[in-house]
């Protein structure tokens, strides 16, 4: 009988956030796959967990996943842990889970600490819809592409950032997102946990005076859909109404339908478009 994969959340700071179930499972499984065994041994020792560990990280995730899947096929139960928080969120656990599904290995999750959710719910920003981007790419072209894609994002945006990159990232976000409302959370669940809610401009000014320390979660308010609509309407006004009409009629619309669409694009009445076309004659 095949074994299974347990995705075990571990504390992101406060050790008391370790669940009873996670401790029990980590003691019962045959093998623990850890992102950094040197880091995880401290956690295991604290909870007197003697289970054998093996490393599973970004640089061995494909080959090691094959090895772990084979172990599970042979009947071993494997637990996956990350350095902190929930495995599979912006880390190599995603690859192991994918391979388990392809091999027909059962996967289950042991919920617990998760930095992005903890930060979001205490941020004071809208929580119903959100977009998680983790750390922005280091590659300049990819980074620009991601930021460009977030320009008109109407959902709350969540990013992770290290202290030595925080100032630069805030300034880049200001360039692409404008002066949004945002919240910064740092050192979650730890003794010096802090939250700050302000505009992006205020946050940039604040960190010019205070040197960033600790791990950060950045939560940005989504863009107001009305603002996107108004920006689009202003773009259409860069061409004449006659040119605007011509565009739709060349696409196959009749005059009446084209007028209706032009009025909608510009946020005005159809009567106003009709009158303008008469005046242009």
């Amino acid at each position: 009988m095949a074994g299974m994969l347990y995705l075990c959340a571990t504390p992101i700071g406060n050790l008391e956030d370790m669940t009873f179930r996670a401790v029990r499972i980590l003691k019962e499984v045959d093998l623990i796959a850890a992102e950094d065994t040197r880091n995880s041994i401290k956690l295991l020792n604290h909870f007197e967990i003697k289970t054998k560990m093996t490393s599973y990280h970004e640089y061995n995730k494909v080959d090691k996943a094959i090895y772990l899947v084979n172990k599970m096929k042979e009947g071993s139960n494997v637990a996956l842990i990350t350095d902190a928080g929930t495995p599979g969120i912006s880390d190599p656990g995603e690859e192991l889970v994918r391979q388990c599904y392809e091999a027909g290995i059962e996967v289950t999750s042991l919920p617990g600490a998760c930095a992005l959710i903890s930060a979001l719910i205490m941020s004071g920003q809208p929580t119903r819809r959100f977009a998680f981007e983790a750390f922005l790419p280091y590659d300049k072209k990819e980074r620009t592409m991601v930021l460009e894609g977030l320009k008109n994002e109407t959902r709350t945006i969540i990013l992770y950032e290290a202290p030595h990159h925080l100032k630069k990232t805030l300034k880049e976000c200001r360039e692409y997102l404008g002066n949004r409302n945002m919240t910064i959370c740092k050192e979650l669940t730890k003794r010096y946990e802090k939250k700050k809610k302000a505009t992006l401009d205020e946050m940039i000014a604040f960190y010019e005076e205070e040197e960033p320390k600790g791990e950060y979660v950045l939560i940005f308010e989504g863009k107001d859909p009305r603002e996107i609509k108004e920006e689009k309407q202003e773009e259409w006004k860069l061409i004449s109404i006659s040119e605007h009409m011509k565009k739709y009629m060349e696409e196959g619309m009749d005059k009446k339908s084209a007028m209706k669409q032009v009025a909608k694009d510009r946020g005005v009445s159809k009567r106003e478009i009709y009158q303008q076309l008469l005046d242009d004659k």
Side-chain angles (χ1 to χ4, degrees):
M1 184 178 174
M4 65 185 294
L5 176 66
Y6 294 87
L7 303 170
C8 294
T10 55
I12 56 177
N14 194 320
L15 288 176
E16 291 180 3
D17 290 336
M18 189 76 166
T19 69
F20 292 116
R21 185 181 174 210
V23 172
R24 176 177 63 81
I25 291 297
L26 290 174
K27 286 180 177 180
E28 291 178 358
V29 293
D30 301 292
L31 184 64
I32 296 171
E35 188 174 6
D36 186 336
T37 55
R38 295 165 300 179
N39 181 63
S40 295
I41 192 66
K42 300 169 192 172
L43 178 76
L44 269 54
N45 286 342
H46 181 82
F47 290 103
E48 299 180 349
I49 298 166
K50 309 295 184 186
T51 309
K52 182 183 174 183
M53 273 196 297
T54 187
S55 65
Y56 178 80
H57 48 71
E58 184 64 31
Y59 303 103
N60 72 355
K61 65 182 181 182
V62 177
D63 292 340
K64 199 55 172 282
I66 294 169
Y67 166 79
L68 292 170
V69 166
N70 285 332
K71 294 289 286 183
M72 286 180 272
K73 282 180 177 178
E74 292 167 5
S76 294
N77 290 315
V78 175
L80 177 67
I81 59 175
T82 184
D83 282 349
T86 301
I89 298 290
S90 189
D91 81 7
E94 180 182 4
E95 172 66 23
L96 180 55
V97 171
R98 185 186 65 77
Q99 288 199 30
C100 281
Y101 272 89
E102 289 178 356
I105 300 293
E106 189 176 348
V107 178
T108 192
S109 169
L110 278 64
C114 181
L116 79 98
I117 296 300
S118 296
L120 175 64
I121 61 176
M122 70 169 91
S123 69
Q125 304 297 345
T127 60
R128 190 176 72 84
R129 300 167 64 246
F130 60 91
F132 174 58
E133 284 290 344
F135 289 93
L136 290 172
Y138 290 120
D139 179 80
K140 192 174 180 181
K141 195 173 180 181
E142 283 182 57
R143 193 178 180 92
T144 300
M145 188 174 70
V146 170
L147 286 167
E148 193 70 48
L150 292 174
K151 251 184 181 179
N152 289 327
E153 178 57 71
T154 58
R155 295 171 294 178
T156 298
I157 300 164
I158 306 171
L159 303 178
Y160 288 161
E161 194 49 276
H164 50 289
H165 291 307
L166 181 67
K167 291 181 184 181
K168 179 190 173 191
T169 296
L170 288 174
K171 288 172 183 174
E172 284 179 309
C173 287
R174 176 63 174 91
E175 181 185 344
Y176 286 90
L177 305 181
N179 190 26
R180 303 262 185 109
N181 289 316
M182 70 171 300
T183 305
I184 288 185
C185 300
K186 61 175 280 191
E187 298 294 270
L188 293 171
T189 78
K190 298 175 186 174
R191 183 179 178 183
Y192 296 107
E193 174 183 284
K194 288 185 180 177
K195 287 81 62 181
K196 183 173 177 61
K197 192 170 186 281
T199 65
L200 234 173
D201 282 348
E202 290 168 338
M203 211 67 86
I204 290 168
F206 177 80
Y207 283 105
E208 287 299 330
E209 300 297 323
E210 178 168 309
E211 195 59 32
K213 293 177 183 176
E215 298 300 314
Y216 291 83
V217 184
L218 317 181
I219 306 102
F220 299 91
E221 177 184 54
K223 192 167 185 176
D224 189 330
R226 290 171 298 183
E227 191 180 342
I228 297 172
K229 187 178 179 182
E230 286 167 8
E231 286 175 0
K232 191 65 182 170
Q233 287 170 358
E234 289 304 311
E235 281 179 28
W236 282 117
K237 290 174 185 176
L238 295 175
I239 63 172
S240 70
I241 288 175
S242 297
E243 289 172 316
H244 203 159
M245 284 286 294
K246 184 181 177 184
K247 173 190 180 301
Y248 286 125
M249 291 179 76
E250 285 179 348
E251 290 174 6
M253 280 190 185
D254 59 55
K255 191 173 182 179
K256 188 176 178 182
S257 298
M259 282 175 62
K260 187 177 179 181
Q261 188 58 50
V262 168
K264 185 179 178 183
D265 288 345
R266 290 171 177 258
V268 298
S269 68
K270 197 165 70 171
R271 182 188 293 273
E272 194 173 325
I273 299 300
Y274 178 70
Q275 187 60 50
Q276 187 62 53
L277 289 171
L278 284 178
D279 293 344
D280 290 345
K281 283 185 178 179

